[in-house]
Amino acid sequence: LETYSYNRYHPMGEIYQWMSEIREKYTEVVTQHFLGMTYESRPMYYLKISQPSNNPKKIIWMDCGIHAREWIAPAFCQWFVKEILQNYKDNQRIRRLLKNLDFCVLPVLNIDGYIYTWTTDRLWRKSRSSHNNGTCFGTDLNRNFDASWCSIGATTDCESLTFCGTGPASEPETKAVSSFIESKKENIACFLTMHSYGQLILVPYGYTKNKSNNHEELIQVGQKAANALKAKHGTNYRVGSSADILYATSGSSRDWARDIGIPFSYTFELRDNGTYGFVLPETQIQATCEETMEAVLSVLDDVYEKYWYTNSAR
Ligand code: 0X9
Ligand code: ZN
């Protein structure tokens, strides 16, 4: 763990190993939890960072790597965990957050796909489930959630990059995440799903131009985060609803999370703007993670303020 490089992309075996070492080194704040198995029977685990407290806690969910080729996303999830753990004792801001918030981080959601990008096809996007008698592979897990499933910006053609699967949550990875989120939804304040690329902070919805009932607040919090991000290294992000500033998509995890009642639900599209696209050089990992950390902390500060319970803790 002392030699683990956060400026590198890591194959899945190293990420599993990293999770075990994190859990062993920070036993007092970190636990590792099983979420379910992938299509190819690999275990999915999330890390929970939680400080003992008498306050009622809200949960922050963050997943990375739902799309296999977006390697900067898993790199950020690991960076985020590292930053929290290295700083929670001395850093006021992080200590404060942990008083009322638990962080649940899933470093790689689409594990089978991620492995495939290391072994076979760097630009693979989908999961690795088999369809049409083994003639085509992979579901777009970010079209597989039960949010106006397979209506717009998704297709039932299994050859397509945006294949929605055979039904809402037909894929074991989707099922694992959605069952967990559903079971805790009353306590989940914030759902963050990390992608690349495009430099965007996206709010619901993708499946309609309609806005959620807290849209203005989501935009405000998102814009403040984008400002904090820009202040770090000057990177420009745009903030808006998916359908407005990106493109229409049904079945995304973020829309689904908002629809089941999670108030702060965001998709982050990390660097870059297309120069390298999905194949962001390792030399940009550090700056990308540093600036994204600023944005995420800004969101979390706002979520924290919103869910303030006890003035005595202040
Ligand atoms: O198409 C996607 O799933 C995301 N873009 S990516 O290039 N990372 O594949 C955008 C997801 C945004 N969410 C919705 N539009 N609902
Ligand atoms: Zn993506």
Side-chain angles (χ1 to χ4, degrees):
L1 197 57
E2 310 317 320
T3 60
Y4 196 81
S5 174
Y6 293 92
N7 305 309
R8 288 282 163 83
Y9 298 119
H10 292 274
M12 197 59 219
E14 292 180 16
I15 299 176
Y16 275 124
Q17 181 66 28
W18 171 82
M19 280 196 262
S20 318
E21 291 177 18
I22 284 280
R23 145 172 63 84
E24 283 159 16
K25 173 157 183 193
Y26 297 97
T27 45
E28 73 286 5
V29 274
V30 179
T31 46
Q32 184 180 5
H33 301 265
F34 178 74
L35 262 184
M37 298 297 261
T38 68
Y39 182 84
E40 293 177 333
S41 299
R42 298 184 176 96
M44 300 167 69
Y45 302 108
Y46 69 92
L47 293 174
K48 180 177 177 187
I49 307 177
S50 176
Q51 282 266 66
S53 158
N54 294 324
N55 300 344
K57 302 267 203 67
K58 286 286 178 184
I59 296 169
I60 307 295
W61 170 266
M62 185 191 299
D63 63 73
C64 294
I66 191 173
H67 287 142
R69 62 192 174 187
E70 300 167 6
W71 286 9
I72 188 63
F76 178 71
C77 262
Q78 294 170 78
W79 184 280
F80 176 82
V81 167
K82 173 222 18 150
E83 280 294 307
I84 299 296
L85 294 175
Q86 286 179 351
N87 294 306
Y88 79 96
K89 281 190 174 144
D90 306 322
N91 182 309
Q92 276 273 17
R93 188 183 189 189
I94 292 172
R95 259 181 33 211
R96 187 180 86 128
L97 292 174
L98 283 173
K99 273 186 195 158
N100 282 354
L101 304 174
D102 289 342
F103 302 148
C104 294
V105 180
L106 174 59
V108 184
L109 194 158
N110 178 7
I111 295 172
D112 297 346
Y114 186 72
I115 290 174
Y116 196 73
T117 62
W118 278 83
T119 58
T120 312
D121 178 358
R122 173 65 183 83
L123 290 180
W124 191 256
R125 164 184 172 91
K126 299 186 285 178
S127 70
R128 289 297 299 161
S129 54
S130 161
H131 301 276
N132 271 4
N133 302 313
T135 58
C136 63
F137 290 89
T139 294
D140 184 346
L141 299 175
N142 208 33
R143 300 292 181 278
N144 192 231
F145 284 74
D146 194 4
S148 193
W149 178 78
C150 217
S151 51
I152 194 166
T155 166
T156 53
D157 171 9
C158 63
E159 300 277 359
S160 166
L161 281 177
T162 54
F163 175 49
C164 57
T166 53
S170 59
E171 306 307 306
E173 296 85 354
T174 310
K175 190 95 218 151
V177 170
S178 58
S179 305
F180 173 78
I181 300 289
E182 182 78 50
S183 74
K184 305 267 186 220
K185 67 179 176 188
E186 263 75 46
N187 295 320
I188 302 178
C190 179
F191 181 96
L192 304 176
T193 181
M194 313 307 277
H195 290 249
S196 72
Y197 58 94
Q199 299 176 190
L200 306 166
I201 298 176
L202 300 169
V203 308
Y205 288 98
Y207 68 75
T208 172
K209 291 235 175 202
N210 294 348
K211 304 298 185 279
S212 49
N213 58 17
N214 64 337
H215 179 75
E216 294 310 322
E217 183 181 35
L218 284 173
I219 293 290
Q220 234 174 51
V221 168
Q223 192 55 57
K224 186 170 149 194
N227 295 344
L229 188 153
K230 181 174 173 139
K232 191 74 186 178
H233 296 300
T235 308
N236 284 307
Y237 268 57
R238 290 184 296 137
V239 181
S241 92
S242 278
D244 286 348
I245 70 167
L246 189 56
Y247 43 68
T249 53
S250 55
S252 76
S253 62
R254 185 218 44 237
D255 284 357
W256 173 80
R258 184 68 199 81
D259 277 342
I260 66 163
I262 296 168
F264 292 94
S265 191
Y266 291 97
T267 305
F268 277 67
E269 294 282 357
L270 305 185
R271 286 195 197 182
D272 58 11
N273 247 332
T275 308
Y276 296 100
F278 302 116
V279 192
L280 190 71
E282 288 184 325
T283 51
Q284 290 197 40
I285 295 176
Q286 178 162 344
T288 304
C289 290
E290 283 171 354
E291 68 194 10
T292 307
M293 194 70 201
E294 294 302 321
V296 169
L297 286 176
S298 170
V299 170
L300 298 185
D301 282 345
D302 286 346
V303 171
Y304 178 92
E305 291 295 338
K306 181 91 182 174
Y307 289 95
W308 195 259
Y309 287 98
T310 56
N311 285 320
S312 61
R314 206 191 279 263

